Amino acid sequence: MIGLQPKTAIDIRNQKEVKVPLADVIVGDLIHVKPGERIPVDGEVLDGSSAVDESMLTGESVPVDKNPGDQVFGATINKNGALKMRAIKVGKDTTLSQI
Protein backbone atom coordinates (compact mmCIF):
# COMPACT_ATOMS: atom_id res chain seq x y z
CA MET A 1 0.00 0.00 0.00
CA ILE A 2 2.89 2.38 0.63
CA GLY A 3 3.58 2.18 -3.10
CA LEU A 4 0.34 4.12 -3.65
CA GLN A 5 1.86 7.21 -2.05
CA PRO A 6 3.27 9.75 -4.53
CA LYS A 7 7.03 10.30 -4.60
CA THR A 8 6.78 14.11 -4.77
CA ALA A 9 4.58 16.98 -3.60
CA ILE A 10 4.00 20.51 -4.86
CA ASP A 11 5.08 22.60 -1.88
CA ILE A 12 4.20 26.29 -1.72
CA ARG A 13 7.35 28.08 -0.51
CA ASN A 14 7.79 31.85 -0.60
CA GLN A 15 4.56 32.07 -2.64
CA LYS A 16 6.05 29.81 -5.36
CA GLU A 17 5.16 26.23 -6.17
CA VAL A 18 8.14 23.90 -5.87
CA LYS A 19 8.10 20.17 -6.61
CA VAL A 20 9.87 18.45 -3.71
CA PRO A 21 10.55 14.84 -2.72
CA LEU A 22 7.92 13.55 -0.32
CA ALA A 23 10.62 13.09 2.35
CA ASP A 24 11.19 16.89 2.33
CA VAL A 25 7.58 17.72 3.30
CA ILE A 26 7.26 18.73 6.95
CA VAL A 27 4.26 19.34 9.19
CA GLY A 28 2.87 22.80 8.48
CA ASP A 29 3.93 22.94 4.82
CA LEU A 30 1.38 24.29 2.34
CA ILE A 31 0.74 21.80 -0.46
CA HIS A 32 -1.05 22.27 -3.80
CA VAL A 33 -2.86 19.19 -5.09
CA LYS A 34 -4.09 19.34 -8.68
CA PRO A 35 -7.06 17.39 -10.09
CA GLY A 36 -6.19 13.75 -10.77
CA GLU A 37 -3.19 13.72 -8.42
CA ARG A 38 -2.74 11.63 -5.30
CA ILE A 39 -2.72 13.57 -2.06
CA PRO A 40 0.86 13.29 -0.74
CA VAL A 41 0.35 13.46 3.06
CA ASP A 42 -2.44 13.77 5.61
CA GLY A 43 -3.64 17.32 5.93
CA GLU A 44 -6.36 19.92 6.24
CA VAL A 45 -7.94 21.63 3.24
CA LEU A 46 -7.36 25.40 3.40
CA ASP A 47 -8.69 26.44 -0.01
CA GLY A 48 -10.60 24.87 -2.88
CA SER A 49 -13.08 22.04 -3.09
CA SER A 50 -13.05 18.64 -4.73
CA ALA A 51 -14.26 15.08 -4.50
CA VAL A 52 -11.63 12.70 -3.13
CA ASP A 53 -11.53 8.96 -3.78
CA GLU A 54 -10.77 7.42 -0.37
CA SER A 55 -11.70 3.86 -1.42
CA MET A 56 -8.19 2.52 -0.80
CA LEU A 57 -8.56 3.46 2.88
CA THR A 58 -12.27 3.09 3.54
CA GLY A 59 -13.55 0.72 0.86
CA GLU A 60 -16.25 3.28 0.07
CA SER A 61 -16.67 3.52 -3.70
CA VAL A 62 -18.28 6.99 -3.73
CA PRO A 63 -15.84 9.95 -3.67
CA VAL A 64 -16.12 12.22 -0.61
CA ASP A 65 -16.62 15.98 -1.07
CA LYS A 66 -13.84 18.02 0.54
CA ASN A 67 -13.98 21.72 1.41
CA PRO A 68 -11.94 24.10 3.57
CA GLY A 69 -11.60 22.69 7.09
CA ASP A 70 -11.95 19.06 5.99
CA GLN A 71 -9.24 16.46 6.55
CA VAL A 72 -7.62 14.62 3.63
CA PHE A 73 -5.41 11.55 3.71
CA GLY A 74 -2.19 10.69 1.93
CA ALA A 75 -2.38 8.42 -1.16
CA THR A 76 -6.08 9.14 -1.75
CA ILE A 77 -6.98 10.59 -5.16
CA ASN A 78 -8.09 14.17 -5.72
CA LYS A 79 -10.72 13.83 -8.45
CA ASN A 80 -11.88 17.12 -9.92
CA GLY A 81 -10.78 20.30 -8.15
CA ALA A 82 -7.56 21.93 -7.03
CA LEU A 83 -6.86 21.88 -3.29
CA LYS A 84 -4.50 23.90 -1.15
CA MET A 85 -3.80 22.04 2.07
CA ARG A 86 -1.63 22.20 5.17
CA ALA A 87 0.35 19.05 6.02
CA ILE A 88 -0.61 17.74 9.46
CA LYS A 89 0.90 14.22 9.36
CA VAL A 90 3.93 13.16 7.32
CA GLY A 91 6.12 10.07 6.98
CA LYS A 92 5.40 7.25 9.41
CA ASP A 93 2.67 9.31 11.13
CA THR A 94 0.28 9.28 8.15
CA THR A 95 -2.88 7.19 8.19
CA LEU A 96 -1.52 5.05 5.35
CA SER A 97 1.66 4.26 7.28
CA GLN A 98 -0.37 3.23 10.32
CA ILE A 99 -2.28 0.57 8.36
Side-chain angles (χ1 to χ4, degrees), residues 68-82:
D70 291 338
Q71 190 171 8
V72 291
F73 304 97
T76 58
I77 302 170
N78 180 26
K79 295 300 253 180
N80 57 8

Side-chain angles (χ1 to χ4, degrees), residues 61-72:
S61 62
V62 178
V64 179
D65 290 335
K66 298 294 182 174
N67 296 294
D70 291 338
Q71 190 171 8
V72 291

Side-chain angles (χ1 to χ4, degrees), residues 5-75:
Q5 205 166 28
K7 305 287 186 237
T8 61
I10 300 173
D11 209 336
I12 302 170
R13 296 182 177 176
N14 298 319
Q15 300 178 350
K16 293 183 181 180
E17 293 185 1
V18 179
K19 193 176 219 177
V20 298
L22 194 58
D24 290 351
V25 176
I26 59 172
V27 171
D29 277 0
L30 298 179
I31 306 291
H32 181 207
V33 185
K34 297 177 183 177
E37 292 183 338
R38 287 191 184 271
I39 295 170
V41 295
D42 294 1
E44 177 185 358
V45 176
L46 300 176
D47 189 37
S49 61
S50 185
V52 175
D53 179 351
E54 297 180 342
S55 61
M56 51 81 62
L57 288 178
T58 65
E60 177 60 50
S61 62
V62 178
V64 179
D65 290 335
K66 298 294 182 174
N67 296 294
D70 291 338
Q71 190 171 8
V72 291
F73 304 97

Side-chain angles (χ1 to χ4, degrees), residues 41-42 57 71-74 89 91-99:
V41 295
D42 294 1
L57 288 178
Q71 190 171 8
V72 291
F73 304 97
K89 291 183 182 178
K92 65 179 181 327
D93 295 328
T94 64
T95 300
L96 181 64
S97 293
Q98 299 297 315
I99 294 176

